[in-house]
C-alpha cells in the first residue's frame, strides 16, 4: 500500500516536472520526486529488515526453549543419580 502510493506520487511529480505548462513548479516537483525516491528506497530496505528481525527473534525463542528443556532434563537426571 504505502510503497505503491509512494511510487505513484513519484510518477505524478515527475510528470509535473516535465510538463511545459508547469515549468515554474518543475523544480519543486522534481525535488519532491527525488525525496520520494529516497523514501521508497528506505521502505524497500526497512520492510524486509523488520521481517528478518522477526524471524530471527522467533528462532531465538525456539532455541532458548530447547536449551531450557535440555537443562531441566539434565537436572532431573542428575537428581536421580
Amino acid at each position: 500500500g504505502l510503497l505503491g502510493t509512494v511510487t505513484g506520487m513519484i510518477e505524478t511529480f515527475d510528470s509535473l516536472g516535465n510538463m511545459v505548462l508547469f515549468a515554474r513548479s518543475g523544480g519543486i516537483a522534481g525535488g519532491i520526486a527525488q525525496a520520494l525516491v529516497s523514501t521508497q528506497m528506505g521502505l524497500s530496505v526497512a520492510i524486509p529488515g523488520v521481517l528478518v528481525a522477526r524471524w530471527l527473534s522467533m528462532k531465538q525463542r525456539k532455541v532458548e526453549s530447547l536449551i531450557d528443556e535440555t537443562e531441566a532434563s539434565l537436572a532431573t537426571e542428575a537428581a536421580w543419580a
Side-chain angles (χ1 to χ4, degrees):
L2 183 59
L3 191 58
T5 301
V6 171
T7 303
M9 292 177 68
I10 290 170
E11 291 177 17
T12 301
F13 284 114
D14 195 36
S15 68
L16 279 174
N18 292 332
M19 293 178 65
V20 177
L21 180 63
F22 295 101
R24 292 186 70 181
S25 66
I28 295 170
I32 292 172
Q34 286 180 347
L36 291 175
V37 168
S38 298
T39 303
Q40 183 182 22
M41 296 313 287
L43 288 171
S44 66
V45 170
I47 292 170
V50 168
L51 295 175
V52 168
R54 185 173 195 109
W55 178 76
L56 288 173
S57 179
M58 288 174 24
K59 293 290 275 185
Q60 178 185 355
R61 277 185 256 143
K62 287 180 183 178
V63 169
E64 287 174 349
S65 176
L66 182 60
I67 290 171
D68 289 341
E69 290 173 9
T70 304
E71 180 183 18
S73 177
L74 290 173
T76 302
E77 288 180 19
W80 287 96

